[in-house]
Amino acid sequence: MVSTSQAIDKKSITLKYNLIGTESWTPYGYSGDDANPGIFAEVIDLILEKAGYSYEFYYYPPKRAAKVFEENQLDIDFMSPSWFKNGDMGDEYVQSIMIFELTEYNVTLQENAEKYADPHAIYDKHVGTIAGYSYFDDDMFTRIDFSTEDGLIRGLKRGRFEVAILENLTARHWAKKHNVKISLASVHSHGDIVLRLRRELSHLLPELNAVIKSLKQEGEIDNILRKHYVIPKNLKLNNE
């Protein structure tokens, strides 16, 4: 049952959301193809439509998106506490329950796999990263920022750095595209993907959490993940 006050709130609220990631964050980021827009686009559309909220879609590059969110020009996006030091995304935000899990790896060329088998081996090194992305330990290494994941693999191939931080399927996709033999040498971060909202919208969380729980129980979110070949238990560490 939806109370009268909740119904009025829904009519008066239009949530502004930005899809996290670059177009190269295959298969998560917005692909630019509305027929197959990517995991984040499909999942958030599913959640907000089922919740009955009006919404507006924006696509800012990660670095710009962070600034716009801080200026309160966006309301909601995907985030993982595992990307932040001590899991702290900031007092100005609240978060939903877990939607799905995501793992990022320290990715290197196959001949360097053993060198980076210890996740702390990246400390004091130059590490390929994405401008605007958050990394919980980036005070421990020197970021070499690129604008896309595609660029990170090309930078790895050209020796701009020995290791980059990437998600499994993303790394394998671009490694195959550029004919690079890579190894996912060690886990950099593993954690929950959640919805992050501005704190003043915290009254929306109970319903959003209920919708997320329902969609997970119905298998709708798993269906989207499986469509994009995200089946964590079956993923392999080395590029094929």
Side-chain angles (χ1 to χ4, degrees), residues 33-222:
D33 177 5
D34 289 340
N36 189 31
I39 289 172
F40 288 129
E42 293 175 42
V43 169
I44 200 165
D45 282 352
L46 188 69
I47 292 170
L48 295 182
E49 286 181 5
K50 187 175 181 68
Y53 288 110
S54 298
Y55 55 93
E56 296 175 356
F57 155 66
Y58 293 82
Y59 180 70
Y60 293 108
K63 194 170 183 178
R64 173 64 177 155
K67 186 175 187 300
V68 172
F69 217 113
E70 290 173 359
E71 295 170 348
N72 294 331
Q73 296 180 41
L74 291 170
D75 299 315
I76 187 170
D77 64 1
F78 289 99
M79 201 56 63
S80 176
S82 68
W83 300 337
F84 295 82
K85 188 173 288 295
N86 300 319
D88 184 8
M89 293 193 290
D91 292 339
E92 63 270 37
Y93 305 113
V94 294
Q95 68 186 61
S96 74
I97 62 172
M98 184 265 282
I99 304 171
F100 58 89
E101 295 179 321
L102 190 142
T103 303
E104 292 189 313
Y105 295 86
N106 295 317
V107 179
T108 188
L109 301 180
Q110 284 188 352
E111 57 263 32
N112 294 323
E114 187 174 346
K115 184 176 180 180
Y116 292 99
D118 180 347
H120 296 155
I122 67 171
Y123 292 171
D124 298 322
K125 301 290 197 306
H126 289 79
V127 178
T129 50
I130 299 293
Y133 282 12
S134 297
Y135 303 89
F136 71 94
D137 56 353
D138 64 2
D139 58 336
M140 302 297 293
F141 56 80
T142 300
R143 293 179 62 143
I144 306 296
D145 276 353
F146 278 62
S147 59
T148 68
E149 287 78 3
D150 177 13
L152 285 185
I153 290 296
R154 287 187 282 113
L156 193 64
K157 181 178 183 179
R158 295 169 183 170
R160 294 285 301 276
F161 39 78
E162 282 191 350
V163 61
I165 299 170
L166 290 159
E167 189 276 339
N168 186 350
L169 290 179
T170 309
R172 294 173 61 174
H173 172 84
W174 293 112
K176 183 176 182 180
K177 179 97 173 167
H178 297 296
N179 193 28
V180 186
K181 293 187 180 300
I182 62 168
S183 173
L184 279 61
S186 54
V187 171
H188 180 260
S189 67
H190 175 81
D192 299 342
I193 295 294
V194 301
L195 289 179
R196 177 180 68 162
L197 290 83
R198 292 189 291 109
R199 182 166 291 279
E200 52 266 43
L201 297 173
S202 59
H203 60 286
L204 305 183
L205 274 181
E207 184 167 18
L208 288 173
N209 284 338
V211 166
I212 292 167
K213 183 176 180 180
S214 175
L215 290 171
K216 289 170 65 176
Q217 289 175 338
E218 295 165 4
E220 293 296 317
I221 291 175
D222 276 351

